[in-house]
Amino acid sequence: MSTSSKTPRKAKKLAVKRAISLTDLKDYPYLCSAWTTCDQFVVPELVSEIVNRFPSSTSDCVPLDLDDQIVCIDNLVSESSRPKSSKNDLFTPRLFLFDFGCLVFWNVDSGIAREVRRLANEKHLQISSYDPSIVLQENDSIPYVEDPSKNLPKIHKDVIHFPSGLTMRDIVLYQFAYSNSLALSVKLGYWEIQVESLVRNLSPYISQMQTGVLNVREGDIMQLYGRLFNIDHKINLSKDFLELPEVYWNQPLLEEEFLSMRIYLSVKERVRIIGQKISQSFNLLEMLRSCLNETRSQRLEKLIVLLIALELLVTVLYSRDALRELLTGSFKSDEVSFTPKNSEMFE
């Protein structure tokens, strides 16, 4: 298995030495690559745009049961190119689109894959597009081969081995199951980057708390709360990172392949680690908000004390002036009252 330089699987507790490195991919002519470019695709319109842009391609719908079907695009090659000849449909250039903003290419030229991503962006068929640098960073690739010795598809030494003699329907179904796990993995990788970014934003506050001088605003805390809740919602409520998607409930073979790829990509362990980071971040934000409220209370108490002191000062000053006026008024009254009597004595 090969990924970009900042692989999301770095979250594993024990790093497993991979049989295939980035430089070894050239030894495998057939690759499956997964990308995430946005929160959500407008799938029907995007399929139509891709088919119009690449006339050799065809849109296929493979039913799973009465309610679900798989939408894929086959023969995804440029107009000047011919579809690659192969023994069977296993190596047909194929694209799976997932409405949660992921594209999974099977044996598709990298230039065409780049053109599809550009098309989705330029035609405004993406909701909440991601930063291009993150798109280029968070993608996964895994080679696949045809292996006549296998009875069922299997991941062995970082390579997907498909048995010979599979029907086109079986090939599409198995590729879809692997694609679904890969799509969830790269989507999880995007949220891992967001969590790491949020943790970095919280680091200065930890340093400030260690020095005893905290400089934080309520608006900053609310913004960080919003980012945390958004990530927590996307992982635990919006996507099938932990639970088995309903599409596999009546498909035991596809369920097995989906789960095998999900285990291989350490999705469950990575979700657990993200959950721990989110929980610790929530605890830190609660502490910051508590400190902010305490600081605000202290300021309010100081203001109240100051107001009381001012009121007392005003009262004292007013009382002193009133006492002075009272004393002055009494003295004058005494002078007025004793003056006539003194005059009579002199007479």
Side-chain angles (χ1 to χ4, degrees):
M1 184 73 182
S2 176
T3 64
S4 56
S5 58
K6 295 184 179 179
T7 172
R9 283 181 298 286
K10 64 186 178 183
K12 286 186 176 181
K13 283 185 176 180
L14 298 176
V16 179
K17 185 177 180 181
R18 302 216 165 265
I20 299 176
S21 65
L22 283 169
T23 56
D24 294 329
L25 284 176
K26 63 179 182 295
D27 298 329
Y28 292 86
Y30 304 109
L31 291 177
C32 169
S33 60
W35 300 76
T36 181
T37 62
C38 62
D39 278 351
Q40 189 174 351
F41 283 134
V42 185
V43 175
E45 287 80 356
L46 181 56
V47 170
S48 177
E49 289 290 344
I50 294 174
V51 172
N52 291 335
R53 175 63 181 82
F54 302 97
S56 300
S57 63
T58 57
S59 175
D60 296 323
C61 296
V62 180
L64 284 174
D65 51 37
L66 295 178
D67 299 323
D68 298 304
Q69 63 181 11
I70 298 171
V71 178
C72 64
I73 299 177
D74 285 345
N75 297 320
L76 190 57
V77 296
S78 62
E79 191 173 359
S80 59
S81 303
R82 294 181 179 180
K84 298 178 182 180
S85 59
S86 60
K87 300 177 183 178
N88 52 43
D89 296 308
L90 180 62
F91 305 115
T92 298
R94 181 171 290 119
L95 166 63
F96 291 94
L97 294 94
F98 295 90
D99 59 356
F100 52 87
C102 291
L103 303 165
V104 182
F105 301 91
W106 291 78
N107 194 29
V108 175
D109 181 77
S110 60
I112 294 178
R114 183 168 54 251
E115 176 68 14
V116 170
R117 299 196 302 273
R118 184 192 63 81
L119 187 67
N121 185 44
E122 290 185 353
K123 297 296 182 179
H124 305 290
L125 300 176
Q126 300 184 150
I127 299 175
S128 300
S129 298
Y130 297 157
D131 188 293
S133 62
I134 296 180
V135 173
L136 294 175
Q137 176 181 337
E138 286 306 318
N139 63 88
D140 279 338
S141 295
I142 183 170
Y144 68 101
V145 297
E146 185 177 20
D147 189 349
S149 65
K150 303 295 183 183
N151 295 323
L152 291 172
K154 184 178 181 181
I155 304 173
H156 180 64
K157 292 184 178 180
D158 301 329
V159 179
I160 302 176
H161 294 254
F162 286 94
S164 302
L166 292 175
T167 64
M168 169 144 182
R169 173 183 167 82
D170 289 340
I171 291 172
V172 172
L173 292 179
Y174 283 125
Q175 287 183 345
F176 169 79
Y178 289 131
S179 299
N180 198 354
S181 288
L182 282 165
L184 290 173
S185 176
V186 294
K187 179 64 69 173
L188 183 60
Y190 170 79
W191 293 119
E192 285 173 328
I193 289 180
Q194 300 307 307
V195 171
E196 290 297 330
S197 174
L198 193 145
V199 170
R200 286 195 298 271
N201 291 339
L202 288 173
S203 296
Y205 298 122
I206 298 177
S207 301
Q208 292 176 17
M209 292 175 68
Q210 291 176 340
T211 60
V213 179
L214 187 61
N215 182 19
V216 60
R217 298 181 302 175
E218 186 175 5
D220 296 335
I221 292 180
M222 292 305 298
Q223 185 180 24
L224 292 171
Y225 262 121
R227 291 175 60 186
L228 270 179
F229 275 117
N230 180 52
I231 297 173
D232 195 42
H233 170 80
K234 295 291 186 180
I235 293 176
N236 294 312
L237 299 180
S238 300
K239 299 294 179 292
D240 300 307
F241 289 112
L242 294 178
E243 297 181 358
L244 180 69
E246 294 182 10
V247 70
Y248 302 108
W249 287 4
N250 297 323
Q251 304 289 336
L253 292 179
L254 296 184
E255 174 186 345
E256 182 179 350
E257 301 311 319
F258 170 81
L259 293 177
S260 67
M261 178 64 81
R262 194 170 71 173
I263 293 172
Y264 173 74
L265 297 170
S266 302
V267 171
K268 187 175 182 179
E269 175 68 9
R270 290 158 58 197
V271 169
R272 186 188 66 80
I273 293 175
I274 288 181
Q276 289 179 345
K277 291 182 179 180
I278 291 177
S279 178
Q280 291 296 323
S281 298
F282 272 127
N283 292 337
L284 178 58
L285 285 177
E286 285 293 336
M287 187 175 298
L288 289 175
R289 188 168 67 173
S290 177
C291 292
L292 186 63
N293 292 335
E294 185 177 350
T295 302
R296 186 181 301 165
S297 298
Q298 291 175 353
R299 290 177 180 174
L300 184 59
E301 290 174 359
K302 291 179 180 178
L303 179 60
I304 293 174
V305 171
L306 179 61
L307 291 175
I308 294 174
L310 288 174
E311 184 180 3
L312 291 174
L313 179 61
V314 170
T315 302
V316 169
L317 293 175
Y318 175 79
S319 299
R320 188 182 65 176
D321 293 340
L323 180 61
R324 181 183 299 172
E325 291 179 1
L326 180 62
L327 293 175
T328 303
S330 299
F331 180 73
K332 290 181 178 180
S333 177
D334 291 341
E335 287 184 348
V336 171
S337 58
F338 284 107
T339 299
K341 294 180 181 180
N342 294 335
S343 300
E344 292 177 357
M345 292 174 61
F346 286 105
E347 289 179 356

